[in-house]
Amino acid sequence: MEPSAPTKAGSKQEEGFGAQPTWGTDLGPVLNLQRSSSSLCKKRGLQFLLDSSEKQKSLSSWIPENIKKKECVYFVESPKLSDAGKVVCACGYTREQHLEEAIGPHAFQGQEWDPKRHIQERPTDAFGDIVFTGLGQKMGKYVRVSQDTPSNMIYQLMTQHWGLDVPNLLISVTGGAKNFNMKPRLKNVFRRGLVKVAQTTGAWIVTGGSHTGVMKQVGKAVRDSSLSSGHDDGDVVTIGIATWGVVHNREGLVHPEGSFPAEYVMDEEGQGHLTCLDNNHSHFILVDDGTHGRYGIEIPLRTRLEKFMSEQTKERGGVAIKIPIVCVVLQGGPGTLLTIYNAITHGTPCVVVEGSGRVADVIAQVASLPISEITVSLIQQKLAVFFQELFETFTEGRIVEWTKKIQDIVRRRQLLTIFREGKDGQQDVDVAILQALLKASRSHDHFGHENWDHQLKLAVAWNRVDMARSEIFTDERQWKPAELHPIMAAALISNKPEFVKLFLENGLRLKDFVTCDTLLYLYENLDPACLFWAKLQKVLAEEPATARPPLRMHHVAQVLRELLGDSTQPLYPRPRPGERPHLLLPVPHVKLNVQGASLRTLYKHASSHDIFTIDPIRDLLIWAIVQNRRELAEIIWAQAQDCTAAALACSKILKELSKEEEDTDTSEEMLALADEYELRAIGVFTECYRKDEERAQQLLVRVSEAWGKTTCLQLALEAKDMKFVSHGGIQAFLTKVWWGELCVDTGLWRVILCMLAFPLLATGLVSFRERRLQAERGLARVRAFFNAPVVVFHLNTLSYFSFLCLFAYVLMVDFQPTPSWCERVVYLWLFSLFCEELRQLFYDPSGCGLRKMAVLYFSDFWNKLDVAAILLFVAGLACRLTPAALYPGRVVLSLDFTMFCLRLMHIFTISKTLGPKIIIVKRMMKDVFFFLFLLAVWVVSFGVAEQAILIHNESRVDWIFRGVVYQSYLTIFGQIPTYIDSVEFSPDHCSPNGTDPYKPKCPERDAARHQPVFPEWLTILLFCLYLLFTNILLLNLLIAMFNYTFQQVQEHTDQIWKFQRHDFIEEYQSRSPAPPPFILLSHLQLFIKRLVLKIPAKRHRQLRNKLEEKEEAALLSWETYLKENYLQSLQSQQRQRPEHRIQHISDRVDSMADVLQMDRLKQPGSVEQRLASLEVQVAQTASAVRWIVEALRGSGLGSKEGAPTLAPQKASEGQDPALSGGWQAEDGGDGHHVNARHLLYPDALVTRFPVPDEKVPWEMEFLIYDPPFYTADRKDKALVDPTGDTPESLSRISYNAVDGPTDRRSFHGSYAVQDGLPLNPMGRTGLRGRGALSFFGPNHTLQPVVTRWKRNQDGAICRKSVRKVLDVLVVKHPRSEHWALPGGSREPGETLPRKLKQVLQREFWPAFESLLARGKEVYTGYMDDARNTDNAWIETVAISVHFPDQSDVELNKLNMHLLAQDPETSIRWQVVDKRIPLYASHKAILQKVATLFGAYY
């Protein structure tokens, strides 16, 4: 970049500054910052600093290359002086502020100063970051741009280089810049509402950027919002577009390479006629035209930029919308009126705040009046009231201009919204702004349902469900569920649960919405910051493919199975080779198209393999849960049918994700949500259990096809939902399983007695639940008794005690060199225990696989103890059978006996009394290990120090261990060593040289006196300190740890015991009734069944029950019904909470206060409303009297002389703007053309003279009327009238006659000719000449209206509101925003219009001419066209060509010959509707055609 030329000596040196760049919108890693740890944050922070330098370099090179400024290159002295009395140039800058080339001898010497020639563009030298000195360190962005800078370049700068997100809404605030005064209440309402709408919708606010007037109020509103939020996440993007030449202290912003940052000083006292930038704006675009001190330079660029942005599209969640724009007006003067006029002209809705003063109040006062009542005198009165200090400066022409502009503004009421604080139910500016946008969108012409669809897209983009409820989902529009599908996908992806709830309330069915395509689309648009997305990417990376494979549902199922556990089957199985995936439609790239997709059967069974099925609610619930979206998941779960299993599955998924989540806050949120879903499962199950215990317990073990063929109980166990498992109903079910077929109230002594003497079963000592067993006395009763887990447990307990007794007997009494028969029985017994452990290891009823079962088996502590005991027994047996190692073998077996005895603790865990205590002991064992670590530190440190002080060079390892560890440990328990004190020292208890293996080595002593010489004071001091820390500190610490563990575990001990009780019960339910060693017979039978006969293992029916389809459907319906009861009771409990009731009372008090305030504010307005109502009634009465008088005249009653004179009827307020043309006077309009008086003539830099409605007729006096003359140059000069207005050039024209090939006759009769020019029969237009038309006087056109009946697929005519529906042929030409009828002007001597020939093939022209000849004229007369002038206008003939039969030969030929010559020209058949986007005059013609055929319009 080349620096600008140096300034002259004495000028201020321009300082630069540096910036901290922001992230661009395309930087995805920003979202992942939430999941980074502190070390990762540091690394990224360093990377961010490195990127900052790169971004500054990129910005410093890109901006000067693409963004320009303007500078004066020719100094011409101006007669005016600067504020400091210096000589200035015509551009406003002093001589010192010009470049040297502008001051010296110049090629322009002697020429008058011309800004077009003498101001040139140069690379901009003011951009970067801006900091306001002394007003905090909040940093903003700024750039100096030329007024001719393309809008797309500025937009690229803001979105790509400044890193701003594309907005959902653009709010353009305009109004007074000086002497701005508002009522405090209105000011607060405006500030609050403006920031609220910006924050909730993600909008940009665009203002003038200066620290004055309405811009200052906007800045303060943003500042207050930032202070209240306390963080930058909710910062509002506020863009100030100001004129560079009026910015005070702008010299500090200039630096050729950019300023990062620039320090800007706000000096309001010394600014003079300049202005300071507002410190509360975030971005500044400073528009430069090369001049100094001239205001309003930025307005054209701001208008172009806002227009460009409103044409941009933002895509989110598969839904694309154009950025809407709204103009908010407060106070203001002439410039503000021009801004409103331009906004309304370009279709931008405006919100005018009444009570803010000046222009805003003038418009607000007349907005509700009919156009005919908005007269010059009325506007003059309003200006006298609201512009008292400036009223004297208003000339008659200026008042006329204001009247015309206000009439045009009010005429388009659909774009004008008046915010009256406290009136008409309006309280918030944000609601008024959004209502204005929706009203404007509703008024726009769209095909079909596009209008309502666009409004709904806006509401979703703004996240304003309140607006959608009140403005969109009304009785006026009935939504089809399929129309909501794309918006539903957008609401899901963008996490807007309130909209999801709204769509469900309005008929959207999830079964129709969710298809395979939809699911894939949703998973492809997962939040990149969520952990599930990372796991999916990892799965995709592991796919054996050269290129990155596309995401498929089996990839999702793979991750879900990791989270749900291997006990569940894959929810979406991987398609087999050659099998096509079940995708109904290709997934769209941008927009979602899931309409018309049918839902398959939810639970479809197959005999050989799994089928890809969809459960919509389950699939959406999983999608929401894996992203930790609480509100969304809550809404979807409320729709679920298998709700208990769904809640437990959600709990499991969330707990698994929380284990891998790095961010602590997110992990805690997941755990909290998991607990919430566990409570939901408990709540639903409680409702079911209260209603019917049997059916509730049936829910627990029902195989759920939707959740991978698992059960609710299995899901709860996998998720470790202890609260759920400890529920009384589940424990009652487990108790029932524990007792098998026996009655649960059977006494335990009866069971034990029948175990020992089973013939007692025939006596009825024990009772059974089933009547069949109760009545029988045979083998079935015995089988049912011994298959009960409680009996199996007691048999195994009795067997285990017998084994321990026999084992102890062998070890203590009968341990011979050759194993005795008792010892051989012990071996057999242990072998049976070993076989049972193998059976448990390989027992896999769920089909998880050996590896998973091994992991599950060894995850249990008691199984590890069993394996260790068996392995130790094998080691002891190997030693015992070796004669040389007989004694070591007995020692090993003795230790092994201890381990087998510890196994008794597991047996007693079933006891309700001992079980919880055993759990507490297990938890305390962890505390013991931590304590032993601390204790070892003190024991070893004291032992080593004591050994080194007392004894010299002890070489015996065993005695070193005794002295260091053993003796130090025993000291804790009171065994104090005698040799530590010389008083109790005795040489007989030690070995002087350490040669005696049974005595310790003697301490250091004096050889002469044989007395110890070690420092007794030191050893005693160490000994006391050692006892102090170990006996008092550490032991009390251990007690405190035990106490804490006891208190902590005691609260949950019961839950833990109940949770572990299931595994214990399932273990004994799966065991054979025969206890060891007789269980070997059962193992032999099992070996034959599994390995020989290949019969798979099955879980007991009591813990896993697969229901029939009808039975399952009835059970799920019952559960769904009770779930609704649970949700209602939950809502009732929430309403009864004190905090909720307090909030409810507070809301009611606020509502009452608002009502009272509104009543107080409405009192003045009520009189106005009553007067307005009275005026309407008087007008209706006058109309009725007029009708009576005319009727009497027509009947010949009364005399004309005596008839009263009635005022002419005025236009109604709600008149359709399309009927405002003169040719529509018969419809009750005011008879004035509107489009022909638009101030800006189309395709020309010509401004019409303003003509208010009352001055349109030529008969009305209009002394100041001085319209400009304009005639466009045409290439075909031989076919058009001459361009001049001289009598010589116009003398050859014959008006009101056929002038050669040109017919200059009017359908409205003879027209006047003045000064050789014809006068428009409909009145003044504000422009003389023939404009862009071909001829002076009438320009005749032809508008063929080609229609047919709209038919459905079976050929029947479509109807709407009982009436038939028409199709019309319409054309859209290049550079046109509207569709049009295929007609227009005709060449001299031709029959068909030129534009019609462009869409018809030549061979069909004669046939279409015959169609026109047979057609029916529906209108002939004046057309209110924007090209009309005082001396040239368009008159048309509209001919209806209708094809009543769809098999019409000529209709088929027409369709075959429709071909646009220009590829950019579009032609189509369109349904006739009042919302069809045609030109207003064409729509009126189309309405007449619809009326002619009695069709719908």
Side-chain angles (χ1 to χ4, degrees), residues 31 108 236 262 272 289 511 629 644 649 694 801 1040 1219 1426 1440:
L31 298 174
F108 300 128
V236 178
D289 71 335
K511 294 181 180 180
R629 295 183 173 180
T644 305
E694 291 294 331
F801 270 105
L1219 302 177
S1440 172

Side-chain angles (χ1 to χ4, degrees), residues 620-631:
L620 278 186
L621 180 61
I622 292 175
W623 181 84
I625 281 295
V626 297
Q627 297 180 89
N628 197 25
R629 295 183 173 180
R630 178 189 296 268
E631 296 84 359

Side-chain angles (χ1 to χ4, degrees), residues 882-895:
T882 303
L886 179 63
Y887 180 72
R890 191 177 73 181
V891 172
V892 173
L893 291 175
S894 300
L895 296 176

Side-chain angles (χ1 to χ4, degrees), residues 492-558:
L492 287 170
I493 293 172
S494 54
N495 192 21
K496 295 174 179 175
E498 291 298 325
F499 275 97
V500 174
K501 187 176 181 180
L502 178 65
F503 297 154
L504 293 175
E505 293 173 354
N506 283 273
L508 186 142
R509 301 178 72 240
L510 293 179
K511 294 181 180 180
D512 297 330
F513 167 67
V514 180
T515 64
C516 302
D517 302 332
T518 314
L519 273 181
L520 272 176
Y521 184 77
L522 292 176
Y523 277 105
E524 287 173 351
N525 288 275
L526 280 175
D527 183 1
C530 75
L531 179 61
F532 194 85
W533 171 261
K535 296 175 75 67
L536 267 182
Q537 300 308 307
K538 185 178 179 181
V539 169
L540 290 175
E542 294 173 354
E543 283 286 320
T546 55
R548 183 181 180 85
L551 179 66
R552 290 289 179 261
M553 291 310 298
H554 65 267
H555 298 134
V556 178
Q558 184 176 342

Side-chain angles (χ1 to χ4, degrees), residues 758-942:
F758 67 89
L760 293 175
L761 292 173
T763 63
L765 186 63
V766 295
S767 56
F768 294 85
R769 291 201 304 272
E770 294 188 12
R771 293 182 179 180
R772 177 181 58 83
L773 295 174
Q774 190 67 23
E776 286 190 12
R777 294 291 187 269
L779 186 61
R781 192 181 179 99
V782 176
R783 185 183 297 110
F785 175 79
F786 281 101
N787 279 327
V790 63
V791 177
V792 175
F793 167 73
H794 284 94
L795 287 174
N796 278 269
T797 302
L798 184 61
S799 170
Y800 196 74
F801 270 105
S802 301
F803 166 72
L804 290 179
C805 291
L806 186 61
F807 196 6
Y809 172 79
V810 169
L811 288 176
M812 295 187 297
V813 179
D814 195 16
F815 197 84
Q816 305 296 334
T818 302
S820 62
W821 67 270
C822 291
E823 191 172 351
R824 295 177 188 275
V825 171
V826 171
Y827 298 161
L828 180 64
W829 213 314
L830 187 75
F831 180 71
S832 67
L833 292 176
F834 172 71
C835 292
E836 175 59 23
E837 294 300 323
L838 284 180
R839 184 197 67 80
Q840 294 181 21
L841 176 62
F842 291 101
Y843 178 64
D844 185 17
S846 302
C848 298
L850 179 60
R851 182 177 180 182
K852 181 66 177 179
M853 291 307 302
V855 173
L856 292 175
Y857 177 83
F858 286 104
S859 63
D860 184 70
F861 170 76
W862 301 112
N863 289 336
K864 295 177 184 177
L865 185 63
D866 289 340
V867 172
I870 292 172
L871 293 177
L872 190 62
F873 186 90
V874 172
L877 180 61
C879 295
R880 186 253 180 282
L881 295 179
T882 303
L886 179 63
Y887 180 72
R890 191 177 73 181
V891 172
V892 173
L893 291 175
S894 300
L895 296 176
D896 190 40
F897 178 79
T898 305
M899 298 185 67
F900 278 114
C901 288
L902 291 176
R903 189 66 171 74
L904 287 173
M905 296 179 65
H906 176 56
I907 295 176
F908 291 118
T909 54
I910 194 63
S911 171
K912 192 172 184 178
T913 305
L914 294 178
K917 302 300 184 292
I918 294 174
I919 293 173
I920 293 176
V921 171
K922 286 176 62 179
R923 295 297 178 91
M924 287 184 175
M925 290 298 294
K926 297 180 181 179
D927 295 337
V928 170
F929 284 112
F930 285 113
F931 170 77
L932 289 179
F933 171 75
L934 296 176
L935 182 64
V937 174
W938 288 96
V939 168
V940 172
S941 60
F942 172 75

Side-chain angles (χ1 to χ4, degrees), residues 103 234 386 1475:
I103 303 172
F386 296 106
R1475 294 296 184 188

